[in-house]
Amino acid sequence: MNRKSAIQHEDIALRERAELQLDSVIAELNKMPESFSSEVKGLLHELQVHQIELEMQNEELRAAQLQLEKSHKEYSDLYDFAPVGYCMYNDSGKILSLNLTACKQLGCERKTLINKSFYSNIVSEDKDLFYWHLAKVFETYSPQSCEIRLKKNDGTIFYAGLESIQVRNKDIPSRSCRTTIIDITERKQAENILFIQNRLSFSLSSTTNLVHAFDSLLKAAMEIDGIDCGAVYLVDNLSGDLDLISHKGLTPEFLGLNNSLTKTASQTKTLLKGKPVYVQHTDVLNVWKSAKQKEGLRTFALIPIKHSDKVIAAIHLGSHTCDEFPVFARNMVEAIALHVGEIITRITMENQLEESEHRFRLLYENAPLAYQSLNEAGEIIDINQTWVDALGYSHEKVLGKWFGDFLTPSSKLLFKEHFPLFITEGQVNNQEFEIIKKDGSTI
């Protein structure tokens, strides 16, 4: 029987008792003399009027009580199913009450959380933050806020924003505090991604060394919670294999066995299609058979680094403590990989250009013929060693000088005539000049 039915049952019983009493009163009145009839009728009239008034008041009370119960249920629903968690605890952090949303956030039933210390749900490194937060609440009597990491019953960690204020309640002997708990994990992850990307961009913008760039990339990826080791591979354009460039937190034995991911491996095939690979703890045994190959890894991931829809490199990340990569870690790593593709391509092209320039310089310097480079004014800006050996001048005496200064008078006139044509046409052929050597002889 619900509360409403119980109230109705009590009202019916009350009415029956009142009617029985009224019947007995009427029976007694019938025994009285006629002289009392008028007074009795008046009295009965008053009693009936009073009874009607009482019944009306009773109906109003019942209606008010039903409305109060309805409001209480609506408030309870609003409190329990609010989009944020509500929690009340005393000044030592013992939980006094909390709504269902807070229970869901912490992954426990309400009965297991009541009278439990709120500190037990806080990540160890953040307990001091909550201690000072609580101290400010009771010291200032004003609303206070803080951001901490909370642990669910299954060990999952999430970021929470707390808004707290002291509550004065005479029914509670100790001081109490009411707190709203807001899950801010997505915002914190977005902030962390942006922070890591900005710092990584700054680090990569100041280097042209590919190994240093991959070291910075790996360092940034390993800042994500749970990731404690990793490596970065570069795709070999000829073989299609992934060659190890940088690593951290992995033993030499592991790297010796897995220093190259061949293109025939199933994970590599998926990776080269531009798709990330995540291997949970239960599947690690199927990928690596020997203990040295597994190296105690419980989970690992391969994330492609792409540029213009082409996979150019890969990040190989692992964990010795987590059984799988949480969703937020996957989002962060993939965002970082997407961010650095263009930067890695730029550094690779700069390295290739530098290497090409180095090869050209070697050919230029060691060529059997004398080479020189002039600017548009006809000034010498570069010469090779054969030029120096042939004419006897040092580089310092030649660079920046007008080429005509090293010619005989007739050749100087010829140079003045033909050099403008070289500037406009791009070439001058079959012209002979006499160049004066340092010792005064000519060639």
Side-chain angles (χ1 to χ4, degrees), residues 212-267:
H212 291 168
F214 279 177
D215 285 343
S216 298
L217 173 59
L218 187 57
K219 181 180 179 182
M222 289 181 61
E223 289 183 8
I224 300 172
D225 290 339
I227 298 175
D228 55 23
C229 62
V232 185
Y233 294 83
L234 187 66
V235 176
D236 188 310
N237 291 329
L238 296 177
S239 67
D241 290 340
L242 277 70
D243 298 325
L244 179 66
I245 302 296
S246 178
H247 61 88
K248 187 176 179 65
L250 297 169
T251 64
E253 291 80 7
F254 176 86
L255 294 171
L257 293 169
N258 305 285
N259 63 351
S260 178
L261 299 176
T262 60
K263 61 184 178 182
T264 57
S266 60
Q267 290 81 15

Side-chain angles (χ1 to χ4, degrees), residues 6-20:
I7 293 172
Q8 291 176 344
H9 181 74
E10 290 175 0
D11 289 345
I12 293 171
L14 179 63
R15 172 62 64 89
E16 289 176 350
R17 291 199 302 273
E19 288 176 349
L20 287 174

